[in-house]
Amino acid sequence: MIRKASMVLLPLLVVAMGAWGAFKMIESRPPVETRPPEVLPPLIRTIEVVKQDIRFRVETQGTVAPRTESVLVPEISGRLTFVSPSLSAGGFFEEDQLLARIDPFDYELAVVRSRAQLAQARMLLERELAERAVALEEWKELGSGEATPLVLREPQRAEAQAALEAAQATLALAERNLERTEIRAPYDGRSRRKNVDIGQFVGVGTPLATIYAVDVAEIRLPLPDDELAYLDLPLSYRGENGPDSGPRVKLTAQFAGAQHDWWGRIVRTEGEIDPQTRMVHAIAQVADPYGRGRDPRRPPLSVGMFVQAEIQGRTARQVARLPRAVLRGDNQVLVVDAQLRLRFRDVLLVRAGQQEVLIGEGLQAGELVALSTLDTVTEGMKVRLHADPQASPEAPREILP
């Protein structure tokens, strides 16, 4: 009986002691303090403003073309007896080099005939002068009064003089035509296309070949109207001579898997604005485009090559070069003051590109400008700065669009 009672009372005793211990623990706990939740200011990245002088660059592209291009045509007719190998497409030649020769036989005979006619005309003039002298002496001895021009053989002398001058002109033309049988290069150049060959009969004005000069190459560069403000282009006005040259231009082309550079200069702008694209076209020139230059591996700047161009423009004084992400709207940025609070600031944009902007006024050197994008921004909002704020990169002397 006692054993059954202990088996019932012992569990009840354990439960009672546990309840009492829990009560004592709850009763002796310290009072709970209630605090409002802590809201941290947003964490943002900033960039430091650095003022500096930056030169603009305007990018464009174009195709290389010769400055001087000519079509060789003969001024006389005849059969070609010689055609220079330099006249083949791609061949180089020097100024006054013989490029083609027309059979000179007929023109040599014409020179001989003209010289004979000239000798005969001189003989006739000498005869008339002698007869005029005889007529004058006879008139002095037999005549009275003033002799008439016919008596003194003035018309005959004038006719003989005119015949002599005509013979001289005929000889000069014959000698000129004989010189024209040799077609020589008008300048140092290269042949683009040959249209005839040896043995072919050509007439006056028959195109023999197309050639171009190799002293200077030109590139026609289209420029949008809004980019002209960053360049000092050579402009010409009526009655005035334009400047001798404009800004320098760097030309870049891919050839044989490598990139090569050339330097040139803007020399003029075309007189019209393209009515379809509204572009102004500037003309860049590169001297000695087929010269080897300092780099022996660089290819010649050949006609027809497509090049990228970077035109050096004006220099902006004391401007801040910042990522485009700093802009809020069209002309606002967020500046972090000394109390780590955001302040809206209106700025003056000098130039806005796809990746960067140039700010001329509204910022001071050393100020921090917010880079991070915030959903809601209020004037004077408290912020935290990133532990490693982004510093303004070392700015180059030039900037791309």
Side-chain angles (χ1 to χ4, degrees), residues 86-260:
S86 299
L87 205 58
S88 300
F92 288 95
F93 49 82
E94 305 298 325
E95 183 178 359
D96 203 40
Q97 178 179 337
L98 180 62
L99 298 180
R101 180 185 292 114
I102 296 175
D103 187 357
F105 181 76
D106 293 342
Y107 300 97
E108 291 172 345
L109 293 181
V111 170
V112 173
R113 287 196 300 268
S114 298
R115 287 174 179 170
Q117 293 174 1
L118 177 61
Q120 184 177 6
R122 283 175 177 168
M123 182 269 295
L124 292 176
L125 178 60
E126 293 294 334
R127 179 186 298 174
E128 287 298 330
L129 291 176
E131 291 182 357
R132 180 179 181 278
V134 171
L136 181 60
E137 291 296 329
E138 291 178 350
W139 181 260
K140 289 180 179 179
E141 294 178 359
L142 303 176
S144 62
E146 184 176 356
T148 63
L150 186 60
V151 172
L152 297 180
R153 301 185 66 84
E154 283 295 330
Q156 293 85 340
R157 185 200 62 81
E159 180 183 12
Q161 181 67 41
L164 175 63
E165 293 175 355
Q168 291 174 336
T170 302
L171 176 60
L173 179 60
E175 292 176 341
R176 178 66 171 166
N177 287 337
L178 182 59
E179 292 178 0
R180 288 169 176 170
T181 59
E182 293 186 349
I183 300 171
R184 297 184 175 272
Y187 42 70
D188 296 342
R190 194 178 192 185
S191 176
R192 180 192 288 269
R193 181 171 51 255
K194 183 178 72 170
N195 301 323
V196 296
D197 216 328
I198 189 170
Q200 184 173 343
F201 184 89
V202 295
V204 178
T206 301
L208 303 181
T210 302
I211 61 174
Y212 56 87
V214 295
D215 57 339
V216 173
E218 289 191 344
I219 303 92
R220 188 170 181 257
L221 302 173
L223 297 171
D225 178 72
D226 56 356
E227 297 287 338
L228 299 181
Y230 309 118
L231 300 173
D232 287 318
L233 292 179
L235 301 176
S236 299
Y237 297 89
R238 181 182 178 185
E240 299 179 5
N241 293 325
D244 295 335
S245 60
R248 296 185 72 197
V249 55
K250 179 182 179 182
L251 304 172
T252 304
Q254 295 286 339
F255 186 83
Q259 180 174 298
H260 304 277

